[in-house]
Amino acid sequence: MNITIRLAWRNLWRHSRRTWLTIGAMVFSNALLVFMISLQFGMYELMIDNTLQAFIGHMQIQAPGYKDDAKMRQVVPDAEQLAATLRQELDLETIAARSAAFALLSSEDRSYGVQIFGVDPRYEPGVSTLPGLVKEGRYPQDRDAQEIVIGSVLARNLKVSLGDELTLLGSGRDGSFSAAVAEVTGIFESGVIEMDRSIAEVPLGFFDDVFYMDGAAHAVVIVTPGLAVIEDYRARAEALLPAEEDLVLHDWDALQPGLKQAIQADISSAFFMYGVLVILVAFSVMNTQLMSVLERTHEFGIVMALGLTPGRLGRLVILETSLMGLAGLFLGALVGGLITLWFTYNGFSYPGMDQMAANFNLPSRFYPQATLLTLFLGPAVVFVGSILSALYPALRLHWLRPVEAMRAV
Amino acid sequence: MTAVRCIDLCKTYRQGDQDIKALDHVDLEVEHSGFVCLSAPSGGGKTTLLNAIGGLDIPDSGEVWVAGQRIDQLSKGELAAIRLTQIGFVFQAYNLIPVLTAQENVEFVMQVQGVAAADRRSKSQAILEEVGLKGLEDRRPAEMSGGQQQRVAVARAIVSRPALVLADEPTANLDSKTSDELMELFVELNNHHDTTFVIATHDQRVMAYAKRLIKMLDGRIVEDIEQRAA
């Protein structure tokens, strides 16, 4: 081993307790960072999955402009056929055609404006969690049945229950007047009041008849096996879009920009806290190295007299810090990784979380997502912070003069 | 050939509200392969002169030449390079690096000089044998006696065969027997390798080994005696 590395390593252990305390601070903060970042990324994945799988899906095929200004006439022609082709070619069952319209929904006593969706009962459960949230009755099973599923708040507002009939009034794809009667066969409770108050779903065939869709729909919704493979499926799905139709494929980021912004805002606040932690560790390292440099002033004077330049001595101090930082990095990543691994299998929860999560159709436990990034991002930042904090003690050596240094006790 | 030349060197220190003249218009010339002792009472200026010759301290005025090169105007880096390649230092307090073994202490300077690992190893083993420390290569300074540590310090100073060795009170912490052994080693190096020695001391026995004795007082050279070494 190079003598300089040997020297740097042995210098660290001159005051083993001090070095261990500093490494301990690094290990603690690194382990904490690994676990927190892994948990955070796991929660984001869960947030994204739950938000997107609730209704929006990972991707949607739409007519151009429909996303920003939804109009009845902006449709995907032969949407069910396109969905079937995609299911077959992508070998993915979680693809469904869906239509949407605004309608006035009337019971015997009251009327409310709602957004009504035409869904394919066979495939909608694969692209939306809403069918699984039906608390009373059942979800439609026949694509042509004159049935409707509404939210619990809407049912209360309309004063209807299972078996009651509701009248739909709206505008068709061609702008003509649309009207129909449907029987309430299911009432869902998503936990999100806005959804429970303003959304209703009917079978796609029934929707097609009522709103004169002529086999078209407003979107083909795609849910992929995970966020990591979206890009792959996106490329393959785009290649399968019919060339003669003017269609676009939006991913979840475009469909739900607020979600990404919310995650980014959360990342910013979390990383501010992590930054404070890193700064505290950096100051601890600076303190250690500054003390180490000050108490070795005489020795530094000697080696300068032997011909070492201040730059070399500075590099020695940086090397010592690097070794300490690397020990902290790997031990911290190891400890943090083991903690994260345990929670990856057992989940992370706290008292009261079950009830809160159940209200939002979320699992009662969060599972950290351990990747190389989550394992080493925090420790790497702590490592860089430590090196930067050692720059000041190292730079002090540039002003050291051998004669004065050798006089130091 | 001149190994060291000092021309009209002056250095003043401020101590409290008093100016102390450590070097007061000092002129000195040391020939190549010379063996010179600087003798002075404490505060007489011998260490300051040694530091100026070694480029450790910059004089207020005057010129310092080492091996034909003027060094008092060089940058820190250039001075470090001169010390690394041309000057060996031996200090009163040994000043070894405590966490390195005897052999590593000797090798360390050579590594800085860029000497290859195998060469470093053979040279360091040879020089440690030469100074009588064979078998103690793996000992750390704390595991050696004062005399042994000083021998390691000497080995470190001379391993690269510098043209000039500056020693500041090298025997101050040694018993008389070890002092004699060290001085005999210096003489041998001086005789066999033509190494120039400038030794600051107030030890009479050390002075007896010198070919030339320079006495200083209050920063001035007051006596310059050629003598037949012991």
Side-chain angles (χ1 to χ4, degrees), chain A residues 105-138:
Chain A
L105 211 54
S106 302
S107 63
E108 281 187 7
D109 300 322
R110 294 179 174 183
S111 297
Y112 279 91
V114 298
Q115 193 170 21
I116 190 158
F117 291 94
V119 295
D120 186 334
R122 291 164 298 173
Y123 298 105
E124 185 66 15
V127 297
S128 165
T129 54
L130 218 54
L133 296 170
V134 173
K135 303 293 182 195
E136 289 180 57
R138 58 168 175 78

Side-chain angles (χ1 to χ4, degrees), chain A residues 79-156:
Chain A
E80 282 183 282
Q81 181 55 47
L82 177 60
T85 306
L86 290 169
R87 279 194 294 270
Q88 188 178 355
E89 295 297 324
L90 299 179
D91 194 22
L92 190 67
E93 283 296 297
T94 49
I95 298 174
R98 189 188 287 159
S99 286
F102 286 97
L104 188 69
L105 211 54
S106 302
S107 63
E108 281 187 7
D109 300 322
R110 294 179 174 183
S111 297
Y112 279 91
V114 298
Q115 193 170 21
I116 190 158
F117 291 94
V119 295
D120 186 334
R122 291 164 298 173
Y123 298 105
E124 185 66 15
V127 297
S128 165
T129 54
L130 218 54
L133 296 170
V134 173
K135 303 293 182 195
E136 289 180 57
R138 58 168 175 78
Y139 199 70
Q141 286 158 358
D142 181 353
R143 77 176 285 280
D144 298 312
Q146 285 185 250
E147 296 173 345
I148 188 165
V149 177
I150 59 176
S152 56
V153 178
L154 184 60
R156 196 166 59 238

Side-chain angles (χ1 to χ4, degrees), chain A residues 2-4 6-7 10-11 14 298-299 302-309 312 398-403 406-407, chain B residues 13 51 56-58 76-77 80 83-84 89 91 95 97-101 104 107-109 111-112 120 140 156:
Chain A
N2 182 297
I3 291 180
T4 311
R6 239 180 292 172
L7 176 61
R10 289 178 195 168
N11 277 337
R14 284 178 167 193
H298 177 79
E299 193 176 309
I302 298 301
V303 288
M304 283 171 83
L306 295 177
L308 260 73
T309 58
R312 265 183 185 272
H398 274 275
W399 288 279
L400 207 61
R401 292 175 60 192
V403 162
M406 282 194 290
R407 284 196 198 116
Chain B
Y13 291 113
N51 287 341
L56 299 177
D57 206 357
I58 305 297
K76 273 185 181 180
R83 288 195 294 269
L84 185 66
F89 282 93
F91 303 98
N95 290 322
I97 300 171
V99 293
L100 296 182
T101 64
E104 288 166 345
E107 278 192 44
F108 183 59
V109 174
Q111 185 188 311
V112 179
R120 280 202 312 258
R140 292 197 185 182
R156 179 178 67 183

